[in-house]
């Protein structure tokens, strides 16, 4: 893969932030509830998230001082129409991280004029680095990867995600899962880290994945990875992904329409 300056920055920033997350995990991390409302403690944040984001932002701005950053913690208000835009998630899979489950990641993506050009997703617990460059393919730890060749949902393994909503959106997701099982899929997996779920589609480990609400920092790098690995990624009703919170459907391409018939039927509409 021909490594651009921006792709090298994405890789370096993801590695640096991953080291921060590992240090906090080893030293003992204290999680806090983001909302602090109604006693609900499943939307979490920690000092690890904050420092990880700072490390990523500092590296980006040092190397690309005129570029904009959109991120989960301190950079949520950045305009998504910036010519040079970095979309970062300093800790994807926070609940896994909080419980010591080694399935979490840093996600760093670079977009130019709305087009994804570079992305890196790094799981420091396993030292797994997923990298994608526009028109350059996708790699896992330096080895080229591709989506699966599965042709029908009846042969597939499907991943899904649940947003923090535990009302109507959760019921929509469960209804879609039930219909997936009715299509005789091999199984459903819910790993809790969307960026890695998308990379698993790109690596052919999952044949499809859907979630009814993901933010740009959840999918920016993973979406490029899926596309560069030969897959297809859209909203759950088949539209191009906008750089706002949106439903997401990613597949190997072969089963996209079949899975979309299910995800669009049950899509949460806010009512």
């Amino acid at each position: 893969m021909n490594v651009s300056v921006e792709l090298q920055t994405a890789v370096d920033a993801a590695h640096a932030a991953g080291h921060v997350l590992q240090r906090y995990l080893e030293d003992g991390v204290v999680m806090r509830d983001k909302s602090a409302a109604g006693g609900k403690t499943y939307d979490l944040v920690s000092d690890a998230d904050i420092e990880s984001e700072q490390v990523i932002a500092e590296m980006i701005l040092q190397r690309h001082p005129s570029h904009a950053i959109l991120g989960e913690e301190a950079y949520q208000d950045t305009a998504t129409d910036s010519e040079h835009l970095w979309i970062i998630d300093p800790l994807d899979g926070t609940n896994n991280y909080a419980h010591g489950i080694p399935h979490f990641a840093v996600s760093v993506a670079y977009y130019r004029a709305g087009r994804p050009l570079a992305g890196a997703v790094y799981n420091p617990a396993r030292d797994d680095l997923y990298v994608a460059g526009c028109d350059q393919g996708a790699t896992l730890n330096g080895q080229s990867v591709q989506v699966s060749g599965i042709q029908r949902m009846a042969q597939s393994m499907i991943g899904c995600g649940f947003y923090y909503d535990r009302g109507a959106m959760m019921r929509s997701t469960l209804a879609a899962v039930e219909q997936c099982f009715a299509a005789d899929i091999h199984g459903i997996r819910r790993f809790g880290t969307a960026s890695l779920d998308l990379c698993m589609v790109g690596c052919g480990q999952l044949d499809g994945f859907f979630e009814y609400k993901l933010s740009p920092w959840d999918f920016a790098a993973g979406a490029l990875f899926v596309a560069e690995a030969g897959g297809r990624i859209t909203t759950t009703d088949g539209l191009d992904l906008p750089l706002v919170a949106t439903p997401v459907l990613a597949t190997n391409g072969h089963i996209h329409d079949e899975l979309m018939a299910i995800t669009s039927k049950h899509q949460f509409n806010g009512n």
Side-chain angles (χ1 to χ4, degrees):
M1 181 181 291
N2 181 23
V3 179
S4 67
V5 173
E6 290 83 9
L7 184 54
Q8 189 63 59
T9 297
V11 169
D12 292 346
H15 267 135
H19 295 326
V20 170
L21 299 183
Q22 280 297 95
R23 171 166 51 82
Y24 272 92
L25 203 60
E26 292 164 5
D27 293 346
V29 62
V30 177
M31 308 304 299
R32 302 184 297 275
D33 176 27
K34 279 187 180 181
S35 63
K40 302 186 190 309
T41 58
Y42 41 76
D43 187 3
L44 303 174
V45 70
S46 72
D47 290 338
D49 302 58
I50 305 303
E51 186 175 333
S52 175
E53 188 175 75
Q54 289 173 344
V55 165
I56 297 169
E58 287 172 2
M59 184 174 293
I60 290 171
L61 295 176
Q62 181 182 43
R63 299 184 184 184
H64 314 280
S66 65
H67 291 193
I69 298 172
L70 176 69
E72 183 173 14
E73 305 303 337
Y75 295 90
Q76 289 195 22
D77 297 328
T78 300
T80 58
D81 60 355
S82 300
E83 174 73 12
H84 300 279
L85 180 65
W86 293 84
I87 306 177
I88 64 176
D89 193 338
L91 173 53
D92 189 21
T94 306
N95 276 295
N96 286 348
Y97 185 76
H99 289 273
I101 299 171
H103 193 80
F104 55 88
V106 179
S107 177
V108 182
Y110 169 67
Y111 278 57
R112 182 170 184 178
R115 184 185 180 198
L117 297 185
V121 176
Y122 180 53
N123 178 354
R126 297 179 57 89
D127 197 25
D128 281 339
L129 177 66
Y130 304 84
V131 176
C134 182
D135 298 326
Q136 296 186 65
T139 64
L140 167 58
N141 297 331
Q143 300 298 312
S144 294
V145 296
Q146 291 183 325
V147 295
S148 74
I150 294 302
Q151 299 290 316
R152 298 181 296 111
M153 275 191 63
Q155 302 171 308
S156 70
M157 179 71 77
I158 303 298
C160 73
F162 288 86
Y163 188 65
Y164 294 109
D165 173 273
R166 296 189 177 182
M169 190 184 299
M170 178 189 71
R171 292 189 289 274
S172 293
T173 305
L174 291 172
V177 166
E178 183 177 19
Q179 191 168 349
C180 284
F181 276 121
D184 290 330
I185 62 172
H186 286 179
I188 286 280
R189 297 294 181 266
R190 197 277 187 177
F191 294 110
T193 305
S195 60
L196 291 177
D197 293 332
L198 293 172
C199 289
M200 291 176 72
V201 174
C203 291
Q205 297 161 331
L206 293 174
D207 306 298
F209 166 81
F210 73 94
E211 185 163 350
Y212 282 128
K213 186 174 181 180
L214 288 174
S215 295
W217 42 84
D218 296 316
F219 63 76
L224 179 61
F225 192 89
V226 169
E228 288 297 321
R232 184 179 174 193
I233 184 163
T234 65
T235 65
T236 49
D237 55 357
L239 302 177
D240 290 341
L241 290 182
L243 287 180
V244 296
T246 184
V248 173
L249 170 64
T251 72
N252 65 358
H254 302 297
I255 67 166
H256 203 86
D257 290 344
E258 194 177 358
L259 182 53
M260 186 171 65
I262 294 173
T263 59
S264 61
K265 176 181 178 180
H266 297 286
Q267 182 161 311
F268 174 75
N269 59 14
N271 296 325

